[in-house]
Amino acid sequence: VQTLYSVLDNARYQIKDKTKPKDDQRLEIHPGNADIPTPKQVGTMGVDAKLAQQVVSSLGVGNETVKAVNTANELTVATWKDYSGWYLDLPEEGERLLKPMQFWDGSNILAVYSESPSATSSTSSSSNTNESCQPTTVAALPGAQYRTLINIMDGKKPSVQLVGGGVPLGTSRIEVPQGTPQLVTSGKKILDYTGVRDVKKEKPREDNRMPEQSLRPSWRQVK
């Protein structure tokens, strides 16, 4: 099982020691410095460090969401002080992260691309299968790529519906075509050209952008 972790890193204790000669200045640990907080030890995952567990839950064929295991074990405004982060087990056999994570539409929502590998055998009658990074036509079980949208702060699904295409409300994880993610912002939509080979004949998948927030860009004083 491969797991995605988001762990609070508060080890802010390395500074340049300017009291030494210039040619000997280097980063050193100064936990006793009054201006630098003594770091807390995060500890062993799942034992000393308390991480909120998130799971992938099915919403129907090909549609899934991310949610906390139970309401007593989740990050909220009231429980931030009790946790050092969150983690999510990738549900498919052999599923792993092979691409850098991205921020969705400039927000704090992570777009996590993960893949389960294809399985191959030497002959069509063989029952022994092995993982393969390359697609094959010999007794192959094709791999799959998934895109999971998850809030980097608490590990929960987005509070707004970002996955388009008529999926059930709350869907935050879908299977997408294999290949390098290619997202293009167009008006109020995000066009997903991942896996599209002919842009003139194939329509991209349409997903939703983050909602606009009304902000006061400037002001002037009137006398």
Side-chain angles (χ1 to χ4, degrees), residues 123-135:
T123 64
S124 59
S125 60
S126 174
S127 60
N128 297 322
T129 58
N130 299 299
E131 288 187 0
S132 173
C133 295
Q134 299 294 332

Side-chain angles (χ1 to χ4, degrees), residues 32 54 59 101 173:
Q54 311 294 343
L59 292 177
M101 290 179 284
R173 173 184 159 96

Side-chain angles (χ1 to χ4, degrees), residues 136-149:
T136 178
T137 57
V138 180
L141 295 175
Q145 179 168 234
Y146 302 93
R147 184 181 67 207
T148 306
L149 299 180

Side-chain angles (χ1 to χ4, degrees), residues 99 102 113-115 144-146 176-182 192-196:
K99 296 179 175 67
Q102 304 174 357
Y113 288 89
S114 55
E115 293 187 33
Q145 179 168 234
Y146 302 93
V176 295
Q178 291 182 306
T180 302
Q182 299 184 42
D192 188 355
Y193 285 92
T194 305
V196 175

Side-chain angles (χ1 to χ4, degrees), residues 15 21 27 33 46-47 52 92 99 105 108 117 122 128 133 136 139 161 163 169 171 173 178 183 198 220 222:
I15 62 172
L27 294 176
N33 191 310
V47 180
E92 298 298 328
K99 296 179 175 67
D105 199 21
N108 64 340
S122 55
N128 297 322
C133 295
T136 178
Q161 184 67 33
V163 180
L169 187 64
T171 298
R173 173 184 159 96
Q178 291 182 306
L183 305 178
D198 190 338
R220 63 178 179 172
V222 179

Side-chain angles (χ1 to χ4, degrees), residues 13-32:
Y13 54 83
Q14 290 189 325
I15 62 172
K16 282 186 177 181
D17 187 355
K18 295 184 178 181
T19 63
K20 293 188 176 184
K22 189 173 182 180
D23 59 351
D24 195 28
Q25 288 184 12
R26 57 183 181 270
L27 294 176
E28 292 194 351
I29 299 176
H30 294 273

